[in-house]
Amino acid sequence: MNEIIRDMQAAAAGASLDPQDWNEFRTLAHRMLDEAIDGIANVRARPVWQPIPDEMRAKFRADVPRQASDLADVYREFSESVSPYATGNVHPGFMGWVHGGGTAVGMLAEMLAAGLNANLGGRDHMPIEVERQIVEWMRALFAFPESASGIFVTGTSMANLMAVLVARSSALGTLARQHGIGNDGALLTAYTSKAAHGCISRAMDIAGLGTDALRKIDVDADHRIDIAALRAQIAIDGEVGFKPFLVVASAGTVDIGAIDDLKALAALCREEGIWFHVDGAFGALAILSPELAPVLDGIELADSIALDFHKWGQVPYDAGFLLVRDGEQHRQAFVQPAAYLRREARGLAAGAVWPCDLGPDLSRGFRALKTWFTLKTFGTDRLGAVIARSCELARYLEACVLAEPRLELLAPVNLNIVCFRYRADDAINREIVADVQESGIAAPSSTTLDGKFAIRAAIVNHRTDERDINALVSAVLEFGARRSGDALIETEAPPLAVQ
């Protein structure tokens, strides 16, 4: 009998995935943490981004690993083959897309969340209360009622989709979840501007309403949705039998960061009985800055708001969020009774509304913890100052562009996004963007405005300062001169080499 017990104990020990030597593991873990911190602390010492060599990419076409490997060897491969070729948004020279820079605090919080390994689909445990705490904070920031609900998601693309589903349920009733959208659903029409993010069209597609049901309204000279044109289109659709049910406003358009007239849109939606949703992927967090908050006037009147903490909030990826004014309408759009999700009066299965009642996911990570750590550690005042600072840097870049005859500004600077180009054709400007990215000096992106190819600089990272703006301008000028054959002009800008 004792022999059987010993065999069972030996088998159990072998089945566990815990380290055989905790001290050895601890030593390596400390080294990994130290090197991760060093990587952030010394981020300027490396390129913003660099192309992946073919031989390095080929390493990741290997067969499934059947046998175990030493953790130190796996970490070595990460350090040599993964870390050097990341997106680069931790670097202050990353200005390509609206990606936050993250923080060392957020990194530690993500590690702590992984240690807890909590599933935030539901049940009665403290991580759920952390998420509910942030819902309460968002209610207060956006002046939403206590009955409002909120939920963490991957990002604003998912939050926008969920808002479409809540608006659809509100328009058709909850029976549509059982019977399908039917003839009434086929008549639903939604509205957004031509400058809105493409995920709005995708949301209409996934929601079963079809992309043709999304009316893309022209924008005005400031790239905001044309209210008169919107009103006219709603009237036309109503006259021919369609059922307008949703308007999606932009609080920070993807191309130039324009903010629609939220107050006017709220009034129009209230007048027409239409759900008013705000896609505030990055712009909604301007609410944290007393200087910028007035540009969001009217957002407090929205029926729902989508935003990303991993952009201007500087929370590590991913941490999207959806806030809904009517929490019961939100719940009715997703709640799904099931025996294995039964709520009890006491014990671990206690609790009322679980997060899985407010979205499609039952398995949910602890995204709220890194957001909670970020908000608690830095405070909204400091985060708001960081947001305002990024807009100041955008105005600085705008001034640099306007002062340089070889550069051309292509759009008004609303918040933190600057669209400009070298005074040459589209082909040359396209090469300039790739040249600058491959140099490792900066990482701008591109877009097209009024038929012109634009170099797009989105200043989001809290580490970015004037020297990074100067480096970007210098690089664009030097590569532009090389590509166009213009004579190089001596400047005081930094050399085109990453030290």
Side-chain angles (χ1 to χ4, degrees):
M1 185 65 178
N2 289 338
E3 185 176 341
I4 294 175
I5 293 174
R6 284 196 299 271
D7 289 344
M8 291 177 64
Q9 290 173 337
S16 171
L17 298 178
D18 283 336
Q20 295 298 303
D21 185 332
W22 281 103
N23 288 329
E24 181 182 342
F25 178 83
R26 191 187 309 275
T27 299
L28 178 57
H30 286 178
R31 177 186 152 205
M32 293 165 74
L33 179 58
D34 283 342
E35 292 180 359
I37 293 171
D38 287 344
I40 298 174
N42 303 310
V43 66
R44 287 183 181 276
R46 66 175 189 258
V48 179
W49 174 83
Q50 56 184 334
I52 305 171
D54 290 342
E55 62 273 16
M56 200 66 72
R57 198 185 301 272
K59 289 183 178 180
F60 289 84
R61 303 295 181 267
D63 292 338
V64 175
R66 301 292 182 185
Q67 302 301 317
S69 297
D70 188 81
L71 176 60
D73 292 336
V74 177
Y75 175 58
R76 185 181 305 109
E77 184 173 3
F78 165 83
S79 300
E80 295 173 355
S81 305
V82 178
S83 181
Y85 305 101
T87 310
N89 50 301
V90 175
H91 197 290
F94 185 94
M95 306 175 205
W97 294 265
V98 185
H99 293 183
T103 66
V105 167
M107 179 189 72
L108 293 177
E110 189 79 309
M111 178 186 70
L112 295 175
L116 289 179
N117 195 30
N119 179 1
L120 271 74
R123 300 170 189 85
D124 190 21
H125 52 116
M126 205 60 194
I128 295 283
E129 294 302 325
V130 173
E131 182 159 343
R132 287 172 179 156
Q133 167 87 91
I134 295 173
V135 172
E136 290 181 11
W137 290 343
M138 292 304 105
R139 285 189 195 122
L141 284 171
F142 291 101
F144 268 40
E146 290 187 7
S147 57
S149 57
I151 186 168
F152 274 89
V153 293
T154 54
T156 294
S157 292
M158 175 57 77
N160 284 332
L161 167 60
M162 290 166 60
V164 170
L165 293 173
V166 177
R168 185 191 70 177
S169 180
S170 177
L172 298 178
T174 56
L175 284 178
R177 295 182 58 199
Q178 179 180 351
H179 302 302
I181 63 172
N183 293 332
D184 286 342
L187 297 175
L188 294 181
T189 52
Y191 306 83
T192 195
S193 83
K194 289 183 177 178
H197 196 282
C199 69
I200 307 301
S201 291
R202 179 177 291 184
M204 293 291 288
D205 170 14
I206 297 172
L209 302 172
T211 57
D212 286 350
L214 179 65
R215 314 296 198 235
K216 296 181 180 179
I217 308 299
D218 286 334
V219 295
D220 61 19
D222 295 320
H223 293 249
R224 305 187 305 174
I225 191 169
D226 186 323
I227 304 288
L230 171 61
R231 184 182 293 276
Q233 186 62 56
I234 289 172
I236 290 170
D237 286 337
E239 287 174 2
V240 299
F242 286 111
K243 296 181 178 181
F245 84 109
L246 170 67
V247 169
V248 179
S250 296
T253 56
V254 65
D255 278 332
I256 70 166
I259 297 177
D260 290 332
D261 187 338
L262 304 179
K263 196 168 186 178
L265 289 172
L268 174 57
C269 289
R270 184 180 295 116
E271 177 186 329
E272 298 287 345
I274 296 173
W275 189 279
F276 177 40
H277 173 66
V278 176
D279 174 2
F282 76 93
L285 286 182
I287 202 77
L288 301 182
S289 165
E291 175 186 338
L292 297 174
V295 303
L296 296 173
D297 188 25
I299 197 170
E300 72 281 359
L301 303 173
D303 291 300
S304 52
I305 302 170
L307 60 91
D308 286 326
F309 290 108
H310 56 238
K311 291 186 169 75
W312 254 349
Q314 308 299 332
V315 173
Y317 273 86
D318 52 34
F321 193 79
L322 175 65
L323 185 67
V324 180
R325 174 176 298 278
D326 188 329
E328 183 56 23
Q329 282 192 315
H330 185 182
R331 192 183 76 87
Q332 288 297 331
F334 293 102
V335 66
Q336 185 71 53
Y340 52 85
L341 298 177
R342 177 184 171 89
R343 316 300 155 83
E344 302 294 348
R346 50 192 289 267
L348 184 55
V353 177
W354 289 0
C356 65
D357 298 330
L358 302 175
D361 296 321
L362 180 56
S363 297
R364 302 178 65 249
F366 197 1
R367 296 184 180 94
L369 186 63
K370 55 192 173 185
T371 308
W372 185 81
F373 259 83
T374 300
L375 292 169
K376 292 275 286 185
T377 301
F378 300 111
T380 57
D381 288 349
R382 187 172 176 189
L383 291 171
V386 165
I387 290 169
R389 168 69 170 157
S390 69
C391 294
E392 291 173 5
L393 288 170
R395 290 192 291 272
Y396 175 74
L397 175 54
E398 177 188 32
C400 292
V401 171
L402 292 174
E404 173 52 63
R406 291 170 290 172
L407 300 178
E408 175 186 6
L409 189 70
L410 294 184
V413 177
N414 294 282
L415 293 172
N416 62 326
I417 299 176
V418 183
C419 292
F420 67 104
R421 64 191 260 139
Y422 192 84
R423 290 189 185 274
D425 61 29
D426 285 359
I428 287 177
N429 276 279
R430 188 171 283 106
E431 293 298 325
I432 290 171
V433 170
D435 287 340
V436 174
Q437 291 172 348
E438 290 176 353
S439 74
I441 297 167
S445 63
S446 63
T447 188
T448 301
L449 295 173
D450 298 324
K452 288 185 175 182
F453 182 90
I455 301 171
R456 176 178 174 272
I459 303 164
V460 185
N461 194 323
H462 59 96
R463 303 179 183 94
T464 304
D465 60 27
E466 287 83 357
R467 60 186 149 164
D468 303 298
I469 304 299
N470 293 337
L472 170 65
V473 172
S474 176
V476 168
L477 290 174
E478 184 158 344
F479 284 120
R482 292 180 188 176
R483 290 288 178 181
S484 64
D486 293 342
L488 289 173
I489 299 175
E490 291 294 328
T491 69
E492 297 181 0
L496 292 179
V498 175
Q499 302 300 318

